[in-house]
Amino acid sequence: MFELENAKATQGLRRIAIDPVSRVEGHGKVTLLLDEQNKIHQVRLHIVEFRGFEVFIKGRPFWEVPVTVQRLCGICPVSHSLAACKAMDIIVGAKQLTPTAEKLRRLMHYGQILQSHAVHFYHLASPDLLLGFDSEVAQRNIVGVAAQHPEIAKQGILLRKYGQEVIHLVSGKRIHGTGAIPGGVNKALTAAERDELQKNLPQLIEWMQGGIQVMQRFYESNTAFHNSFGLFDSNMMGMVREDGALDLYHGYLCAKDAQGKPIFNRLNYENYTQVLREEVKPWSYMKFPYIAELGPEKGWYKVGPLARVQTCDFIPSPLAEAARKTLLAIGNGQPVHSTLSYHWARLIEALHALELIQSLLEDPDLLGKELVLSGQRQEEGVGVIEAPRGVLIHHYKVNEDDQVSMCNLIVSTTHNNQAMNSAIRSVAMQHLDRRVISEGLLNHIECAIRAYDPCLSCATHALGKMPLLVELIDAEGQRLSSLARNSNGECRADFSLG
C-alpha cells in the first residue's frame, strides 16, 4: 500500500515494521519512524488487505445476502449473518419476528459471543497475560499456556466448543450456518437438542467466573502498569435496551464522552447516518468513523466490551452485573479507559452470554414451530447488532428486481480504528521511546492491538479511490519501477532505470 509522506519530515528517520501483527484475525502491520536516538516520531497501524464486499454484493438477490456476507470472516460469521438478516427483515416487511424466531436468533448470537470471546482471551491474549509480554517468543502462545497452565487452556477450549455447539444446533453449522433468514429462521430446535445444551452449563459458568478472577488478579498484581498501559481518553458507543440495560442483539445506540456524559442517547439505529460519518486516510484500507457533531478530530470513539459495559446502565444478568460493578470500581467514579481492561470486560460479557443461554434454554418459546413472518415489501433496511468486537452496522437498498443496489458496512473493528492507533502511540511513547528496540518491546505494541480483538479482514473497506502500489521487480529482486496511487486518486511514478 502506498503512503504519501512529507519527505523533509521523514528525512533521516528509520522505519521499523511489525509485519504482520500476530495473534489477530486478518492481516495488518505497524510502522514506527525513529531517529538516531530512538525517539519515536510516528506510529501507525496499517491494514494491508482489501475485501470489497460493499461493491460485489451489489446486484445479488437480497435473500442471498445473509449467507454471502458471512464470508467476510470465519470468526464472527453469525454476527454478519444476523445484522444482514435484521436489515432484510425490514425489506420483507417483518417488523416483528415470532417469539420463537427472535429467541433462536438470540441463542445463536449468545453462542457466537461466548465462542469468540473465549478464543480471543484463552488462545490469543492469555499468552501475554499469563506468560508475560517479554517472555520467550517461542513459548508465548497457546502451546506455552497449555504447558504452564493446563487447566486454564482446557477450560478455554471447552468454553469455545460449547459456544460453537450452540451455533451448530441453531443454525445447522458451526461456521457459515444458514439458520437465520429474512423474516425469521428456517430451523426449529428440538427438545433433545435443548437438553443437550443444558448439560454442564453450571460448570461452564463456574469456569468463566474463574477466568474473570484470573484477569482481576492480573490487574491487582501490577495496578500501575495496567492503568497506564495504552491509556488515552475517548468517547464510547454501544447499544442498550429502552431501560438502559446492555442488549447484545437489539436496542438503541448510545454514546458517551470520555467523562461518561451522554453525547446521544436511545437513538434508533436506523438513523445512524444522522450521527456518524466516515473518513478515509491514504495509509490504510480501513475507514475512520466519527461522531458528526464533534468532527473527525474529537468525534472518534471506541466500541466493544469495555465501551459496552460503560455505556449501558446495567447488565441484565446477576453474575455479570456484579462482575461489571467490580470492574468499574477501579475507575473511582470515572470511566475506565485502560486498554487492558478490554480483556476484563470481554470475560464479563462471556459470563453474561452464558447466563442468557441458560435462561433461554428454560423458555418454552424456544421449542415453538412458528419461525417466519413477512409483510409489506420495503426498499431499504438497516440492521445493527453488537458483534463480539462492538457495534456492527449493515445498511442495504434493494431495487424492484430484488437486487441489492447499495451496501454500506461499518464493522466493529472499523469503529475502533482510531482508538487502536491511539493505543499503540501511547504504548510506543511510554515503553519504546528512546530505548533499544527489542522483540519484547515490540510485542507491547501488539498487545495493545490485541486488546481490541480486531477482525481486520471484516474491517477492510475503502471509500473513493483505493490506494494502490504496483512494483516491477527483476529476477534478482531489484525494483525496476513503481506506480503508486493514493486514496485521493493522485498517482506518482518512480522509474529508477530512467
Side-chain angles (χ1 to χ4, degrees):
M1 185 181 62
F2 177 49
E3 177 184 356
L4 282 177
E5 293 179 329
N6 186 303
K8 291 184 178 179
T10 60
Q11 189 172 7
L13 300 180
R14 62 191 178 96
R15 180 190 300 264
I16 293 179
I18 305 173
D19 185 12
V21 176
S22 62
R23 281 187 272 135
V24 298
E25 200 287 324
H27 301 285
K29 71 175 182 179
V30 173
T31 59
L32 302 91
L33 295 183
L34 307 89
D35 61 21
E36 293 180 352
Q37 286 75 44
N38 284 341
K39 177 179 173 57
I40 302 289
H41 287 260
Q42 184 186 90
V43 185
R44 283 178 174 172
L45 171 63
H46 308 262
I47 308 306
V48 294
E49 61 177 323
F50 178 76
R51 309 181 76 197
F53 271 73
E54 290 172 318
V55 175
F56 69 68
I57 202 72
K58 293 180 183 178
R60 306 305 304 172
F62 73 82
W63 55 81
E64 288 185 0
V65 171
V67 173
T68 305
V69 294
Q70 291 188 72
R71 270 61 187 182
L72 273 163
C73 182
I75 301 295
C76 47
V78 171
S79 302
H80 287 291
S81 175
L82 291 179
C85 273
K86 290 180 72 176
M88 296 310 164
D89 292 342
I90 299 172
I91 298 295
V92 301
K95 296 182 179 180
Q96 185 172 352
L97 302 183
T98 69
T100 297
E102 176 165 334
K103 289 173 183 179
L104 283 171
R105 282 193 188 179
R106 283 181 175 272
L107 182 62
M108 188 194 319
H109 183 47
Y110 302 148
Q112 163 72 17
I113 293 288
L114 173 62
Q115 74 86 17
S116 180
H117 283 355
V119 74
H120 178 262
F121 180 78
Y122 291 95
H123 292 73
L124 305 181
S126 72
D128 301 312
L129 304 177
L130 297 176
L131 307 180
F133 289 13
D134 300 295
S135 58
E136 174 59 40
V137 65
Q139 286 148 8
R140 198 172 60 230
N141 50 52
I142 185 58
V143 177
V145 172
Q148 297 191 35
H149 303 274
E151 189 60 28
I152 290 177
K154 173 187 171 183
Q155 290 174 11
I157 292 169
L158 294 178
L159 283 161
R160 180 178 186 268
K161 179 182 178 181
Y162 179 81
Q164 289 288 80
E165 189 61 17
V166 171
I167 296 168
H168 170 221
L169 293 179
V170 179
S171 72
K173 295 172 64 179
R174 289 178 177 82
I175 300 176
H176 300 151
T178 57
I181 60 174
V185 296
N186 63 10
K187 180 185 181 299
L189 192 72
T190 68
E193 290 170 334
R194 178 203 59 193
D195 295 345
E196 183 65 27
L197 291 177
Q198 286 180 319
K199 294 179 181 178
N200 302 320
L201 255 177
Q203 178 67 80
L204 298 174
I205 290 172
E206 183 180 329
W207 284 348
M208 189 53 67
Q209 289 178 290
I212 293 172
Q213 292 172 3
V214 168
M215 193 61 214
Q216 186 171 345
R217 288 195 296 270
F218 173 74
Y219 170 80
E220 292 171 348
S221 67
N222 199 335
T223 300
F225 175 78
H226 190 288
N227 284 341
S228 63
F229 183 84
L231 182 64
F232 61 93
D233 291 347
S234 75
N235 307 309
M236 300 173 285
M237 187 175 75
M239 195 161 66
V240 299
R241 284 189 332 207
E242 192 166 0
D243 62 357
L246 173 66
D247 196 319
L248 299 168
Y249 176 78
H250 191 68
Y252 301 87
L253 291 179
C254 173
K256 295 182 179 181
D257 66 15
Q259 288 71 49
K261 298 178 181 177
I263 300 173
F264 56 81
N265 198 15
R266 310 296 196 278
L267 176 79
N268 184 334
Y269 65 60
E270 293 183 37
N271 300 322
Y272 79 96
T273 57
Q274 297 178 6
V275 296
L276 300 181
R277 299 287 184 273
E278 302 170 83
E279 69 170 341
V280 171
K281 297 184 180 180
W283 41 271
S284 179
Y285 289 153
M286 189 157 61
K287 294 178 285 190
F288 288 77
Y290 61 92
I291 297 170
E293 67 176 272
L294 301 179
E297 294 299 318
K298 297 182 179 180
W300 56 274
Y301 51 90
K302 57 176 173 265
V303 299
L306 187 61
R308 284 192 291 244
V309 300
Q310 299 187 93
T311 52
C312 73
D313 295 332
F314 65 98
I315 294 178
S317 63
L319 298 178
E321 173 60 9
R324 183 186 84 101
K325 289 179 178 178
T326 301
L327 167 60
L328 298 189
I330 70 174
N332 296 316
Q334 294 297 313
V336 176
H337 291 293
S338 59
T339 292
L340 295 178
S341 295
Y342 258 94
H343 297 304
W344 195 342
R346 187 168 290 115
L347 293 179
I348 293 171
E349 286 192 341
L351 176 61
H352 177 48
L354 281 167
E355 291 184 276
L356 291 173
I357 290 170
Q358 187 176 51
S359 177
L360 278 173
L361 292 175
E362 297 170 354
D363 191 325
D365 284 341
L366 206 64
L367 302 182
K369 303 302 180 184
E370 295 184 27
L371 304 180
V372 184
L373 290 176
S374 63
Q376 186 175 354
R377 172 80 152 69
Q378 303 295 317
E379 296 180 351
E380 185 173 2
V382 177
V384 176
I385 202 166
E386 282 285 2
R389 293 150 186 85
V391 175
L392 171 61
I393 299 173
H394 278 234
H395 184 184
Y396 303 94
K397 292 182 181 179
V398 177
N399 63 24
E400 59 185 11
D401 296 320
D402 290 343
Q403 297 172 322
V404 175
S405 59
M406 187 281 291
C407 170
N408 184 46
L409 309 177
I410 308 183
V411 179
S412 313
T413 298
T414 306
H415 292 293
N416 277 331
N417 193 359
Q418 185 59 53
M420 289 189 293
N421 274 279
S422 296
I424 63 175
R425 289 170 190 150
S426 174
V427 169
M429 296 306 298
Q430 183 180 11
H431 295 280
L432 279 73
D433 192 47
R434 301 182 188 277
R435 298 185 183 181
V436 177
I437 305 300
S438 65
E439 187 281 331
L441 287 178
L442 291 177
N443 186 50
H444 282 58
I445 298 283
E446 295 191 72
C447 288
I449 297 171
R450 287 188 206 110
Y452 291 87
D453 187 18
C455 186
L456 303 179
S457 58
C458 286
T460 50
H461 310 285
L463 297 172
K465 300 288 186 180
M466 186 176 76
L468 185 67
L469 173 63
V470 178
E471 292 183 320
L472 178 62
I473 308 295
D474 66 16
E476 283 72 42
Q478 299 298 312
R479 189 181 70 168
L480 302 179
S481 63
S482 67
L483 180 64
R485 180 183 69 191
N486 68 10
S487 59
N488 296 319
E490 300 169 343
C491 294
R492 185 178 70 184
D494 176 17
F495 294 99
S496 56
L497 295 184

